[in-house]
Amino acid sequence: MSQSPRPLFSAARHRAQRDRMARRPASANFLAPVIAETLLDRLAMVTREFPRALLIGAHDAALTGHLRAIGTELTIIEAGARLAATSGAIAVEADAVDLPFASFDLILWPGGLDSVNDVPGALLRLRALLAPDGLLLGAFVGDGSLPRLRRAVMTDGVRSIARLHPQIDLAAMGNLLQRVGFTMPVVDVEALTVRYGDWFALVRDLRAAGLSSRLAPAPPSLTRAEVARIAAAFAAQADPDGRIGESFRLVHFSGWAPHPDQPRPARRGSGTASLAEALKPKG
């Protein structure tokens, strides 16, 4: 009998990270308001109502407050038990949620998909939770993020142990949405640059945003010498003013649960206009 593959990410470490976020002021998570504003802007462009919504993650009060203010029947799931208890959320991982099928018109996921062990499985669960013509809308830190940190971690004198998560790119995300049955998928990226005085400030931001390592098993702790080498390698990439600009690529995604009234692409070969005729010179 074949054994199940070992998880890439630790659910226990994820829960601990989320609960640590509950002990910090909400303002410490600099990415949360950026993602929330973008999701709400995109939601405002959709000309229909969503009476029942599922929010994955209980840390951002802006999303929660907005959805409740417009009369949405809101359900929240949250991996961290402490954070769930303070917000009235259901304590469960996103890839293990077990709620009635077709029970939501909208699902918002403001970060975290990139650290799920079974990404297709998680998306398939969410697809099943959506009612026909329901919308999934989310964002995560994607491929190409933190290039200066990645270079610093690979500097000479630091053990070559995986310390940073693999990242999902745009093409893979679009394919995944289609593969699990979402229609009209849209995936795009927003580039964000944050300037830091040193590596330690970046680490504090990553921890506050719940973006520190969840790899399983946890890599051995850095020695003082390795910390010094990484900090120096990060500082060596500074701009002339002495600050280091680090890049975050926020991947935004959306997809709809199928419905008979949704627009469909035309059948291949069904066009009546000739491209060759259209390209002929006029006159």
Side-chain angles (χ1 to χ4, degrees), residues 15-123:
R15 292 191 293 269
Q17 284 178 3
R18 298 294 298 180
D19 281 340
R20 281 195 296 272
M21 291 171 69
R23 299 194 291 269
R24 292 187 173 100
S27 59
N29 183 353
F30 78 100
L31 274 180
V34 175
I35 292 176
E37 181 180 6
T38 304
L39 293 184
L40 291 176
D41 284 347
R42 293 177 183 224
L43 192 59
M45 291 188 289
V46 182
T47 57
R48 58 158 291 184
E49 295 182 351
F50 299 99
R52 305 164 299 167
L54 174 67
L55 175 62
I56 302 175
H59 188 258
D60 189 357
L63 286 172
T64 306
H66 173 83
L67 292 170
R68 286 180 171 149
I70 62 175
T72 302
E73 180 186 332
L74 182 62
T75 300
I76 307 172
I77 63 171
E78 169 57 53
R82 183 192 297 268
L83 191 50
T86 61
S87 58
I90 300 168
V92 66
E93 292 278 355
D95 56 353
V97 60
D98 185 15
L99 294 170
F101 288 179
S103 55
F104 299 103
D105 309 294
L106 171 69
I107 298 177
L108 289 176
W109 195 348
L113 175 66
D114 52 310
S115 295
V116 170
N117 280 305
D118 182 7
V119 174
L123 291 173

Side-chain angles (χ1 to χ4, degrees), residues 174-251:
N175 290 336
L176 282 170
L177 289 169
Q178 288 186 313
R179 209 170 98 198
V180 301
F182 285 98
T183 63
M184 298 180 289
V186 176
V187 183
D188 58 68
V189 66
E190 174 188 6
L192 175 67
T193 299
V194 184
R195 290 165 58 75
Y196 291 99
D198 55 36
W199 174 70
F200 302 98
L202 170 60
V203 170
R204 286 193 295 271
D205 264 2
L206 294 178
R207 287 175 175 168
L211 295 175
S212 51
S213 177
R214 301 173 191 166
L215 294 173
S221 298
L222 292 166
T223 66
R224 289 186 179 182
E226 287 174 321
V227 167
R229 287 189 174 96
I230 292 173
F234 189 71
Q237 303 174 72
D239 296 326
D241 64 358
R243 300 185 70 80
I244 307 98
E246 187 57 288
S247 301
F248 295 81
R249 288 171 57 83
L250 303 180
V251 176

